[in-house]
Each structure stands twice: as structure tokens, then as C-alpha cells.
């Protein structure tokens, strides 16, 4: 079973309207591929611990599923205390929205790669159509659990609990 993990809104929460980041997050400057200057991000190692515990407890194969692509492991994962995980090579689409067809743009790639494989997928940007897709897959005996953190808070134990995957589960 695979654990697919996004970064923005999951490990790097978006600033609140007043520009504040959640408590416990620390500022870092990283230079993603294609950027001339480093960008400011904020991370909390607790989010790394949550996904590492989840992967370990359930024997999951973790993969980064993010527009950070190959930069995910060295720039973000290592700062979260995570081992080096592979990433899904998502296409570089000319998008103006995360939901060009009413669902998360990554889903087409995920559907193609994991046709009949069970998944736990953590992303802050799912739509009702994505939740229906996951429900349909599960009803077809391909367990698909979506975990959707609040993008202004990032991943928390409460998000795992809502999905039935608490630390004690």
C-alpha cells in the first residue's frame, strides 16, 4: 500500500490572511530547481513525524506527490527528519487552477499509476469529486483514503484521526 504525500498546505502551511504561520513552524530558505534565489518556507518537524509514523505503523511505501517533484526529498523531507523517499514525476501542465476538470490535477496521474493499488493520499486540495473518486475506488475493493489537512494549519494528528488513522490506530 502506498502513502502519497503533498508538501504545500500539508508540511508548509499557507500564511493566514494576516501573514502569520502556525505555532511550531520554523523558517527555512531553500533553492528549488529553476529558481534563481532561495524561497522562504516554514516547516514543523512534527508533520514529518506524523507521516513517518503512519508509514511505519501500516507498512506503507511513501512517495512524494507534489509539484516540488525531485526537490521534495532533499529540500523538504530532510528538514522534516524523513528518510529519502521517491517522488511521483507529475507532469508540468499549463494550469491556471488546481482543479481544471473539477478535481485535483494530480489525480489523472495517480489513477494511471495506481489503477488497482490501495492508497493513502495526503493533500490539502481535494474537491468533492476527489472524495467521490476515493469512495468509488474503495467500494470497488481498492482501499483509497484521502487525508485533507487545513492548508493554513498543515497536517495534524486530528487529520489522521478523522480518517481513522490515529497514532493509536
Amino acid at each position: 500500500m502506498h502513502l502519497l504525500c503533498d508538501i504545500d498546505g500539508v508540511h508548509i502551511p499557507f500564511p493566514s490572511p494576516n501573514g502569520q504561520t502556525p505555532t511550531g513552524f520554523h523558517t527555512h530558505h531553500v533553492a528549488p530547481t529553476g529558481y534563481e534565489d532561495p524561497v522562504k518556507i516554514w516547516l514543523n518537524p512534527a508533520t514529518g513525524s506524523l507521516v513517518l509514523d503512519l508509514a511505519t505503523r501500516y507498512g506503507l511505501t511513501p512517495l512524494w506527490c507534489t509539484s516540488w517533484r525531485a526537490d521534495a526529498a532533499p529540500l523538504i523531507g530532510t528538514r522534516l527528519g524523513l528518510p529519502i523517499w521517491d517522488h511521483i514525476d507529475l507532469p508540468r501542465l499549463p494550469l491556471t487552477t488546481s482543479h481544471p476538470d473539477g478535481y485535483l490535477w494530480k489525480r489523472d496521474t495517480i489513477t494511471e499509476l495506481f489503477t488497482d493499488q490501495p492508497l493513502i493520499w495526503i493533500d490539502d486540495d481535494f474537491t468533492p469529486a476527489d472524495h467521490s473518486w476515493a469512495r468509488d475506488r474503495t467500494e470497488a475493493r481498492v482501499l483509497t483514503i484521502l487525508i485533507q489537512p487545513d492548508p493554513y494549519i498543515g497536517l495534524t494528528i486530528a487529520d489522521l484521526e478523522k480518517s481513522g488513522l490515529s497514532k493509536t490506530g
Side-chain angles (χ1 to χ4, degrees), residues 30-97:
V30 298
T33 301
Y35 283 71
E36 211 168 288
D37 297 315
V39 296
K40 181 178 170 181
I41 62 168
W42 34 91
L43 298 168
N44 181 340
T47 66
S49 295
L50 285 174
V51 294
L52 184 59
D53 177 69
L54 184 64
T56 303
R57 194 164 12 101
Y58 291 101
L60 306 173
T61 301
L63 295 164
W64 292 111
C65 184
T66 173
S67 57
W68 284 79
R69 295 172 182 83
D71 288 333
L75 297 184
I76 306 302
T78 56
R79 286 174 172 80
L80 292 171
L82 297 172
I84 300 296
W85 294 344
D86 285 335
H87 70 282
I88 295 170
D89 195 19
L90 294 167
R92 295 182 187 276
L93 304 172
L95 297 174
T96 56
T97 175

Side-chain angles (χ1 to χ4, degrees), residues 10 46-47 50 147 149-150 153-162:
V10 173
T47 66
L50 285 174
I147 300 171
D150 180 324
I153 296 172
L155 185 66
T156 66
I157 190 69
D159 297 314
L160 301 181
E161 289 170 347
K162 279 189 257 180

Side-chain angles (χ1 to χ4, degrees), residues 83-160:
I84 300 296
W85 294 344
D86 285 335
H87 70 282
I88 295 170
D89 195 19
L90 294 167
R92 295 182 187 276
L93 304 172
L95 297 174
T96 56
T97 175
S98 294
H99 314 108
D101 297 309
Y103 56 86
L104 184 57
W105 68 275
K106 301 172 192 175
R107 197 175 93 198
D108 290 333
T109 300
I110 299 314
T111 300
E112 184 178 312
L113 292 174
F114 303 98
T115 305
D116 58 358
Q117 297 175 49
L119 303 170
I120 296 174
W121 187 2
I122 305 171
D123 201 300
D124 66 296
D125 210 12
F126 297 122
T127 69
D130 296 307
H131 289 281
S132 292
W133 168 81
R135 212 170 17 260
D136 291 347
R137 280 175 51 98
T138 298
E139 287 173 5
R141 299 179 188 244
V142 182
L143 180 65
T144 304
I145 298 171
L146 302 184
I147 300 171
Q148 187 167 8
D150 180 324
Y152 296 98
I153 296 172
L155 185 66
T156 66
I157 190 69
D159 297 314
L160 301 181

